[in-house]
Amino acid sequence: MAITLLNPSGLPEIDAYRQVSIGTGSKLVFVAGQVAWDADGITVGEGDLATQVERCYLNIATALAAAGASFDDVAKLTVYVVDWTPDKMPLFVEGAARAFAELGLTPVPPGTLLGVAALDVPEHLVEMEAVAVID
C-alpha cells in the first residue's frame, strides 16, 4: 500500500481517524467534492445528515475505485457540513459508521471537518473530498 496511517506520540489519539498519513506511491488521485447524489443525480436522504454522510463516503469509494484506488489509499479527507454545530456529531458518526461497516474501513485517514453556510443546492447537508496516493 502507498499510504501508512499513524498517530504520533505527542498528539492526541483520535478513534475516528489517524493524525498523519504518509504517502509513498507515485500517482495522486484527487476526488472532487461528493454530495449525497445517487447515480442519477437525485439527492439521497434529504434532511437526514446521517444518511447523507453515509452516501458521501460511498460515492467517494465509487470514485476511488474508478481510479484504481480504495479508502486504503486515501491520504486526506475534507468534509464540509452545512450549519455545523457540535450537537450534530452523533448524526455524523452514525452515517460514517454505517459507511465504514459497508466499506470495511478502519482506521480512516486524517480529516478536516468544516462548517459552511451552504453547499451547491439547499438539499445537500454535507460534501466530502479526498486525496489518495497509489503506486
Side-chain angles (χ1 to χ4, degrees), residues 31-34 56-57 60 74-81 92 109-114 116 126-131:
V31 177
Q34 296 298 304
C56 287
Y57 275 105
I60 292 228
V74 173
K76 176 79 165 46
L77 283 172
T78 304
V79 180
Y80 306 91
V81 181
F92 184 88
T112 299
L113 189 153
L114 301 164
V116 296
V126 62
E127 183 169 337
M128 294 182 192
E129 59 186 23
V131 177

Side-chain angles (χ1 to χ4, degrees), residues 18-30:
R18 299 300 179 256
Q19 294 280 13
V20 175
S21 66
I22 302 166
T24 57
S26 58
K27 185 192 287 187
L28 295 176
V29 178
F30 296 89

Side-chain angles (χ1 to χ4, degrees), residues 5 15-16 18 71-72 100-101 103-109:
L5 301 176
D15 289 337
R18 299 300 179 256
F71 265 96
D72 288 338
F100 294 176
L103 298 169
L105 301 179
T106 51
V108 296

